[in-house]
Amino acid sequence: YENGTLFHGPSFQGVRRVLHVSKGELRMECMLPKINENVQGQFPVITGNPFVYDAIVQGVLIWAQYVYHAPCLPSRVDKFEQFKAIPFDAPVIVDMQVVSQSETSVVTNVSVQDHTGAGCVRVTNLEGTISPFLNRYIGKKETA
């Protein structure tokens, strides 16, 4: 978050550390501390945690910055499955596999496990749009 790759406010800063990143995959640890219910607004956490889901998707932004040195925004998801709720204050491991990539887009499959290895979430065909011109919208200097 400090270097601008991730531009999210405090309620969405759930990426704790990147464990591995390469041209074909990314593994990271995510966890969000409990967010006050007043801050949660119209989407309070009941069984699904949209705040943690956002942190999970941030992997495509990290990956695009690593591989293409350019910002990326999620643009489409074919399927999102939740098998187990992810509460606040619970670390999870996010594994992202790259299905296809180009200089302008990436498609990935994502799986999320809790500390016991139990599957929590699976995201199929998460697509991100990659463009150095996105820098102007996230407050970074354009590189192209």
Side-chain angles (χ1 to χ4, degrees), residues 115-126:
H115 71 283
T116 70
C120 301
V121 169
R122 182 172 49 216
V123 183
T124 305
N125 291 330
L126 165 63

Side-chain angles (χ1 to χ4, degrees), residues 67-87:
V67 174
Y68 290 105
H69 308 288
C72 175
L73 290 176
S75 52
R76 184 176 65 88
V77 169
D78 277 351
K79 191 175 193 181
F80 187 98
E81 301 169 279
Q82 177 180 295
F83 308 109
K84 182 179 179 184
I86 303 172

